[in-house]
Amino acid sequence: MQIKKIRDIIIMRINVDTAGNHTGYRYGNRCRFYKERLKYKMNNLAGRYLAAKRQLFDKYYSDLNPEQRRAVFTVNGPLLILAGAGSGKTTVLVRRIAYLIRYGNAYMSNKTPDDLTETGVKQLEEAALNMPREQLADILPEFIESPCPPYRVLAITFTNKAANEIKNRLEAEFNGEDISGIWAGTFHSICMKILRVYYKEAALGPDFSIYDTEDSKKAVSDAMKRLNIDEKTLPLKGVMNEISRSKDKLKGPDEYAGEAGNDFRKKQIARIYKEYQMALAASNALDFDDIIFKTVKLLHGNADVRQRYQSRFLYVNVDEFQDTNEAQFALTALLSGGYRNIMVVGDDDQSIYRFRGATIANILGFDKNYSNAEVIKLEQNYRSAGNILGAANGIISKNRGRRGKSLWTEKPDGELITVRELENENTEARFIVDTISRSVRMKKRKCRDFAVLYRTNAQSRVLESAFAKSGVPYRTLGSLRFFDRKEIRDIIAYLNIIVNHNDESRLKRIINEPKRKIGDKTIDEIARIARDGGIGMFDVIEHASRYEELSRSAAALSQFATLINQLTEISKTVPVAELIRRVSDMSGYRAMIIAGGDAERDRLENIDELISGALEYQKSNEEATLAGYLEEVALVSDVDKYDETADAAILMTIHSAKGLEFPVVFLPGMEDGIFPGMQTINSYDENDMEEERRLCYVAITRAKEKLFILCAHERTLWGRSGGNPPSRFISELPEQFLDRGSSEEKENQPEKAASRVYYSQKPVKTRKEDVLTVNRPVVKKQEPAEFSDVKEGDRVRHRIFGDGEVLSVRTMGADILYEIAFDTAGTKKLMGSYAKLNKI
DNA sequence: ATGGGGCTGCTTTTT
DNA sequence: GCAGCCCCAT
């Protein structure tokens, strides 16, 4: 296959096209163009008409800030919205889609009616001044300019949760009007929608299965066994990762092999990759990465299909762009290739998924890939109190690979951030629980106001038991997912076999579950015969008696085949929920659980829950099909079901907290070795530390009112006890936002620190400075007064933005917020303590 | 074929 | 510290 450098080709095309015959103007040109035109027409009717029109829209959208409005009104051409944490990103996305469906390009358009009259324009000007905002909706339709029908809008997100939120908020926005034509979904669900229609063109069978990580792990492991590659010499995890990253980069097995060169490990992986893909093809299955890979391949290689979607999607909107990988970037480029109205929102400072292939280059270089892209920054934060935001700005400013943004808020400073070192992980947990229960007892807050965010899931155990003991209601997110439970996976495997008899991974999973006296030997033999004969495993099973090698288990095998065939017949007549019931009965699965006695009780309940979930699916989908259900099950996680109304404190990893906000946030385990983790500390790639720092930034910006940063003097981790120095990230926080407890506590610190047993495996890495900062009680106060002689109207110089004029000076906590109109870099809001301003 | 006991090795996670 | 895997005994 020659999908060589799809990405390069796509990017090249973008550049060529945009440089050539794009409909828009470069923004700079457009600005100049505007000004000239406005100056010229200032006194004539058309100019006044346009000004009044824009005033009317600005007024109608006055619940948004000016940057947000610009993001809503800029609909044509490529647009990058850099949306800081808590800057109203989803609101903008939703309002923008609603705007282009209602008004099209009304605001930016320079068209004027031919029959303008003095009185008509006067009326508009009058309305812009005096008409109450609510009534403006009646006038605005007059300005509609090529509105976009809902079905021509595409909105892509990462999680189902985000997709649902967009859908729901849009529905509310249109309250009752039919906008169901909008394509809003995750990358994977969008791709599935395409692949289900054009499966033939994508060289897939009609009822292909989706392998989740667990399934593909098995398939890769099997492939390695077949190739006689030992998992001890080449760990499965690394192989999986390499294959997955390779697919992210749109590289198939052959290309991967081509690039392996003389690298033995890569050559091995290339063989596994190829074998794995062959197994997937034989099973008529795709893994998660393939869903996107194959779609990009299809759109790239098939002009008809490509054109079909390119001519359909007039506006393409991509959420969380900082988390896209190369394949996803290519997909968005292909889908938006028709009209090039592509808008991406994201925050480079919140990119925390590099480890799974996200490339921050997509957002950092968006305006290079799309040379005429406009860039809008949303920097006003509506979420966090001043001190929290100050700390967040402080820490993220230490990163180098960023576009540079500095958030500001109109909110008061609020409380200082509490930083505490506790004795050990148990006292740390108790501190959290006590703080919560005290606050709840005093009726200051509800339990659900509190969130505990940790770096690793391993930290949750101690926390959970502290919560359990105290009786403070709590919930943990992301422990064992419902669909990861064995019994659920088994039943789902049966359903997959019914749809796709040759799904090898699922077949292996349930062929002997419950026990049917079909052992591993037999299964391997079946797989081998199938492979040699180029037929499906199920075909072999169905005709087991034909093969001498299988004679011993032939009876059991044909019984199994009969079971599957019967269930397949049944599946054609009964709905999914009923089918699940039949599967669990006829397969003997239910009987097996019941035989297990009381210990297995909840497994039975889980199956019942699965059935009610299927009923739910039938209710909400008019065309409920088994294949559709399986797709939903494969692509939907139960994290989406995080119930924000339950009155319980919530415990989760920082990663899963992204996009959420809480009045009070605890960050336990802020220690070098945990956060940042040992791997990061020992890494020679400074990008690793930057990503860790971004994660810390995400953690801090989850808090609305109050933040606790905690570490333990001693900690038992992985069975060994020892201690970690407080996280280097704590010392990166500007001191003026922190409350480090009484001076007494501080004085005790050096001794404690001296007696510490460090985990550090590579003492080389523990540099002198680190130890010093740890041991010395940090009391250096930052001097915000340093620049306080800068006044409104002064000329100043900034390291990056150059020279500019100070528009306003405002105190924000112990810091000062400057608004500065830079000569070349535009108007920016900067915090005094980081801005490093020099008066000139 | 199956079940139990010992051994290893270990971020983060959505789809 | 514990989960998940491998190997061995039945």
Side-chain angles (χ1 to χ4, degrees):
Chain A
M1 287 306 271
Q2 44 149 289
I3 38 162
K4 258 181 208 160
K5 305 204 172 123
I6 290 187
R7 184 188 148 93
D8 293 348
I9 294 162
I10 291 164
I11 290 171
M12 247 172 51
R13 283 219 340 252
I14 291 163
N15 285 335
V16 167
D17 274 310
T18 44
N21 46 21
H22 189 268
T23 47
Y25 308 89
R26 292 180 134 252
Y27 182 60
N29 290 338
R30 189 186 324 196
C31 240
R32 232 165 290 135
F33 178 73
Y34 253 119
K35 272 183 200 153
E36 301 242 328
R37 191 176 168 136
L38 280 180
K39 212 187 292 169
Y40 193 68
K41 293 197 166 183
M42 198 56 89
N43 293 318
N44 72 23
L45 284 179
R48 281 168 57 199
Y49 169 87
L50 290 175
K53 174 183 79 175
R54 288 179 187 134
Q55 262 176 39
L56 285 163
F57 271 99
D58 280 328
K59 189 169 178 182
Y60 186 61
Y61 283 86
S62 62
D63 52 331
L64 301 179
N65 68 39
E67 288 76 31
Q68 291 176 327
R69 281 204 295 273
R70 207 176 122 219
V72 168
F73 298 146
T74 307
V75 294
N76 286 346
L79 169 67
L80 165 63
I81 301 175
L82 289 164
S87 62
K89 179 192 70 169
T90 312
T91 305
V92 167
L93 194 58
V94 168
R95 296 289 290 276
R96 188 174 185 275
I97 293 172
Y99 166 81
L100 43 92
I101 291 172
R102 282 227 173 88
Y103 304 113
N105 188 28
Y107 187 95
M108 290 296 181
S109 165
N110 281 326
K111 283 197 188 143
T112 50
D114 298 332
D115 52 352
L116 282 178
T117 61
E118 173 70 26
T119 38
V121 172
K122 257 255 149 62
Q123 268 175 7
L124 288 179
E125 287 171 336
E126 190 67 12
L129 276 176
N130 300 324
M131 190 178 272
R133 206 182 125 216
E134 308 79 62
Q135 288 175 28
L136 292 181
D138 301 332
I139 319 186
L140 295 186
E142 187 182 321
F143 306 111
I144 290 174
E145 166 90 29
S146 30
C148 180
Y151 78 94
R152 300 190 71 182
V153 177
L154 173 64
I156 314 180
T157 63
F158 266 85
T159 63
N160 293 295
K161 195 179 165 183
N164 288 333
E165 188 174 349
I166 288 174
K167 278 186 218 157
N168 291 338
R169 281 170 71 165
L170 273 171
E171 265 163 35
E173 191 86 11
F174 281 90
N175 103 85
E177 278 171 70
D178 182 27
I179 49 155
S180 55
I182 293 180
W183 273 38
T186 62
F187 276 99
H188 291 85
S189 72
I190 300 281
C191 288
M192 282 301 292
K193 229 167 152 171
I194 296 172
L195 290 178
R196 287 286 184 216
V197 178
Y198 294 104
Y199 62 90
K200 269 190 211 132
E201 289 77 356
L204 297 166
D207 292 309
F208 58 90
S209 309
I210 300 171
Y211 276 11
D212 68 16
T213 318
E214 203 61 15
D215 300 317
S216 33
K217 205 169 153 189
K218 274 226 67 155
V220 173
S221 170
D222 285 352
M224 287 176 74
K225 276 190 198 105
R226 252 175 274 133
L227 296 171
N228 268 322
I229 298 172
D230 187 5
E231 282 183 31
K232 283 209 182 81
T233 40
L234 198 60
L236 180 59
K237 239 187 122 174
V239 178
M240 296 274 299
N241 195 51
E242 195 87 350
I243 293 175
S244 179
R245 290 300 76 77
S246 182
K247 289 183 179 178
D248 290 345
K249 294 190 177 116
L250 301 170
K251 286 176 192 150
D254 294 336
E255 285 165 287
Y256 184 88
E259 287 174 17
N262 280 326
D263 186 327
F264 180 70
R265 180 174 173 267
K266 289 201 167 172
K267 271 156 81 181
Q268 293 281 66
I269 293 175
R271 289 174 63 211
I272 302 167
Y273 187 3
K274 185 151 208 171
E275 181 72 23
Y276 170 58
Q277 286 310 116
M278 275 162 51
L280 284 171
S283 292
N284 190 22
L286 297 185
D287 67 17
F288 285 138
D289 301 315
D290 281 340
I291 293 177
I292 293 168
F293 190 3
K294 298 266 180 198
T295 310
V296 170
K297 232 162 139 181
L298 168 69
L299 291 172
H300 185 256
N302 187 317
D304 288 345
V305 178
R306 182 172 66 241
Q307 247 148 39
R308 157 122 208 253
Y309 290 102
Q310 288 192 338
S311 58
R312 170 180 182 140
F313 294 125
L314 197 46
Y315 291 101
V316 173
N317 306 272
V318 189
D319 194 14
E320 305 278 17
F321 195 65
Q322 77 281 355
D323 289 331
T324 50
N325 59 36
E326 287 188 39
Q328 287 159 337
F329 177 88
L331 183 78
T332 61
L334 282 164
L335 290 176
S336 63
Y339 298 91
R340 305 196 182 282
N341 296 322
I342 178 169
M343 182 227 60
V344 304
V345 220
D347 180 0
D348 47 324
D349 291 334
Q350 290 188 73
S351 160
I352 53 173
Y353 286 111
R354 202 169 74 102
F355 69 91
R356 68 178 200 210
T359 159
I360 198 168
N362 285 347
I363 194 163
L364 293 180
F366 183 81
D367 38 346
K368 292 200 185 68
N369 285 332
Y370 291 89
S371 54
N372 60 337
E374 278 196 47
V375 179
I376 297 173
K377 288 186 184 182
L378 304 180
E379 296 180 296
Q380 180 172 4
N381 173 293
Y382 293 94
R383 180 187 294 153
S384 306
N387 286 331
I388 293 168
L389 206 57
N393 277 334
I395 196 147
I396 201 64
S397 70
K398 307 274 194 249
N399 268 9
R400 299 163 79 231
R402 60 191 293 252
R403 295 197 66 129
K405 234 185 309 87
S406 100
L407 299 188
W408 60 279
T409 181
E410 286 174 351
K411 284 184 190 278
D413 300 336
E415 288 176 54
L416 290 173
I417 295 164
T418 301
V419 179
R420 288 285 181 278
E421 179 171 15
L422 287 311
E423 196 47 47
N424 56 44
E425 73 273 18
N426 293 309
T427 41
E428 183 187 61
R430 222 173 311 131
F431 177 89
I432 295 172
V433 173
D434 289 348
T435 309
I436 296 176
S437 72
R438 203 177 319 126
S439 176
V440 171
R441 230 181 304 125
M442 287 165 69
K443 305 242 187 275
K444 277 197 198 145
R445 294 191 188 278
K446 300 285 237 170
C447 284
R448 65 159 167 270
D449 293 343
F450 298 90
V452 185
L453 310 180
Y454 34 80
R455 176 68 244 267
T456 69
N457 276 311
Q459 291 167 258
S460 74
R461 190 189 311 278
V462 184
L463 293 162
E464 280 189 67
S465 71
F467 271 95
K469 260 185 230 159
S470 73
V472 175
Y474 73 99
R475 276 146 11 88
T476 21
L477 203 77
S479 35
L480 186 61
R481 289 161 66 219
F482 180 72
F483 286 102
D484 282 343
R485 276 160 232 254
K486 185 187 178 311
E487 58 277 16
I488 302 303
R489 293 187 69 91
D490 287 345
I491 300 291
I492 297 292
Y494 274 100
L495 299 181
N496 270 298
I497 295 295
I498 290 169
V499 174
N500 173 13
H501 284 9
N502 290 321
D503 185 330
E504 185 176 329
S505 188
R506 268 61 175 258
L507 202 59
K508 283 182 173 170
R509 186 176 183 95
I510 48 94
I511 192 165
N512 201 29
E513 193 74 35
K515 305 283 172 255
R516 298 193 177 87
K517 301 211 183 281
I518 303 171
D520 291 341
K521 277 263 160 56
T522 313
I523 296 169
D524 286 349
E525 198 58 33
I526 296 167
R528 196 191 54 74
I529 295 170
R531 222 165 288 277
D532 290 353
I535 48 175
M537 274 180 82
F538 193 80
D539 297 323
V540 179
I541 295 168
E542 238 179 341
H543 307 110
S545 48
R546 287 186 199 165
Y547 305 94
E548 219 164 287
E549 309 92 298
L550 301 173
S551 56
R552 247 175 303 162
S553 26
L557 290 174
S558 79
Q559 228 178 345
F560 176 74
T562 312
L563 169 72
I564 297 300
N565 285 331
Q566 279 174 347
L567 286 169
T568 308
E569 281 311 306
I570 293 171
S571 75
K572 288 172 187 157
T573 55
V574 305
V576 183
E578 173 63 16
L579 182 65
I580 295 175
R581 211 183 53 73
R582 300 276 191 103
V583 164
S584 60
D585 284 348
M586 289 172 62
S587 67
Y589 207 96
R590 184 176 286 269
M592 175 185 75
I593 295 178
I594 291 169
D598 279 352
E600 310 269 82
R601 260 252 103 74
D602 45 343
R603 299 181 63 198
L604 216 53
E605 279 163 22
N606 285 335
I607 293 180
D608 289 338
E609 197 177 326
L610 185 69
I611 294 174
S612 39
L615 282 171
E616 214 47 47
Y617 166 79
Q618 282 161 216
K619 251 187 252 162
S620 52
N621 294 61
E622 278 166 38
E623 288 170 55
T625 62
L626 180 55
Y629 172 75
L630 287 173
E631 181 181 322
E632 179 156 315
V633 165
L635 298 180
V636 169
S637 75
D638 43 3
V639 179
D640 309 332
K641 290 189 287 187
Y642 158 54
D643 173 11
E644 288 162 50
T645 55
D647 188 20
I650 181 110
L651 281 61
M652 65 178 109
T653 62
I654 301 167
H655 279 94
S656 22
K658 199 174 84 169
L660 304 175
E661 58 177 35
F662 312 92
V664 186
V665 168
F666 294 91
L667 302 177
M670 283 291 276
E671 296 155 29
D672 266 26
I674 295 180
F675 193 18
M678 215 59 229
Q679 312 232 359
T680 312
I681 292 171
N682 290 330
S683 165
Y684 293 100
D685 185 351
E686 63 185 78
N687 289 319
D688 288 337
M689 189 58 79
E690 296 220 337
E691 171 135 325
E692 205 80 348
R693 194 175 282 113
R694 287 193 293 270
L695 188 60
C696 184
Y697 174 77
V698 168
I700 294 172
T701 51
R702 296 311 95 197
K704 292 163 85 169
E705 294 161 28
K706 176 74 191 172
L707 178 65
F708 290 88
I709 291 179
L710 308 174
C711 56
H713 173 234
E714 218 173 61
R715 182 179 296 269
T716 308
L717 198 66
W718 294 328
R720 269 177 306 172
S721 69
N724 292 312
S727 171
R728 62 193 64 195
F729 294 148
I730 297 182
S731 43
E732 288 179 7
L733 297 171
E735 209 52 42
Q736 74 259 32
F737 304 119
L738 309 183
D739 159 23
R740 283 175 178 270
S742 68
S743 54
E744 219 173 284
E745 270 176 73
K746 274 187 199 164
E747 261 151 40
N748 285 335
Q749 265 183 353
E751 273 168 296
K752 280 187 188 171
S755 65
R756 253 186 212 121
V757 189
Y758 291 102
Y759 280 121
S760 308
Q761 286 138 1
K762 289 188 188 167
V764 203
K765 270 277 170 178
T766 325
R767 288 166 303 161
K768 241 181 201 155
E769 307 91 87
D770 293 343
V771 179
L772 281 179
T773 14
V774 170
N775 289 352
R776 209 188 313 126
V778 193
V779 271
K780 54 164 192 214
K781 266 264 184 276
Q782 208 150 345
E783 270 299 311
E786 205 179 322
F787 315 108
S788 58
D789 57 336
V790 175
K791 301 182 301 292
E792 210 175 290
D794 282 354
R795 295 279 300 167
V796 289
R797 180 162 296 159
H798 184 273
R799 193 166 45 89
I800 294 157
F801 302 134
D803 295 354
E805 187 182 332
V806 178
L807 295 180
S808 74
V809 181
R810 239 168 5 118
T811 40
M812 250 186 72
D815 208 343
I816 297 168
L817 178 78
Y818 298 100
E819 190 175 6
I820 300 162
F822 289 103
D823 302 344
T824 48
T827 301
K828 302 245 184 294
K829 292 190 168 109
L830 302 169
M831 298 290 261
S833 49
Y834 320 113
K836 301 266 184 303
L837 298 172
N838 291 312
K839 220 164 132 178
I840 48 172

